[in-house]
Amino acid sequence: MSLFNVFNISGSAMSAQGQRLNVVASNLANADSATSANGQPYKAKQIVFSAVPLNSADAQGVRVKEVREDQSPPQMKYDPKHPMADENGYVAMPNVNVTEQMVDMISASRSYQNNVETMNAAKSMLLKTLTIGQ
């Protein structure tokens, strides 16, 4: 595997982790919204990654295969004064678990950071290779 493939692999991973951070941000922004644009409670989104072959046969990158909605039921919150409360006083709230989303955000940002460090290490090795003949 060529050292140049490291840049392609890390770049694809950074792009995928950036999309993951966007999904987490969307989930956190809608965690307390009683309704979404379609009038139903917001459904948390989950990202699915897949490996993708790069230019060479022995190198693979990563890409976002799909962003899917979490099919778990909405959280029911007791608030009889809420305008969207049912006859029992419960309001259907988004199925977003804020703690899980925060853990996912930390994981994505650390993965992104690790790929930046990998690219910097590869750059440093290439620069040192150029100075060998001097």
Side-chain angles (χ1 to χ4, degrees), residues 25-112:
S26 177
N27 287 341
L28 288 172
N30 290 294
D32 291 328
S33 303
T35 60
S36 63
N38 63 3
Q40 299 296 319
Y42 176 82
K43 291 189 177 202
K45 308 248 183 310
Q46 298 172 333
I47 203 157
V48 179
F49 296 119
S50 70
V52 59
L54 294 175
N55 301 346
S56 117
D58 59 346
Q60 289 195 341
V62 65
R63 70 174 177 90
V64 174
K65 182 177 180 182
E66 67 176 305
V67 178
R68 64 172 74 145
E69 287 186 347
D70 185 355
Q71 295 303 316
S72 61
Q75 297 177 10
M76 300 305 287
K77 178 181 173 185
Y78 184 72
D79 187 1
K81 294 182 181 180
H82 194 283
M84 301 204 54
D86 64 9
E87 62 276 353
N88 297 323
Y90 286 93
V91 180
M93 297 297 286
N95 59 355
V96 176
N97 184 327
V98 175
T99 305
E100 286 179 6
Q101 294 301 312
M102 293 300 289
V103 169
D104 201 25
M105 180 181 66
I106 291 168
S107 174
S109 65
R110 291 216 174 133
S111 295
Y112 189 93

Side-chain angles (χ1 to χ4, degrees), residues 125-134:
M125 285 189 277
L126 285 171
L127 289 174
K128 287 196 188 265
T129 302
L130 291 174
T131 61
I132 287 176
Q134 294 179 352

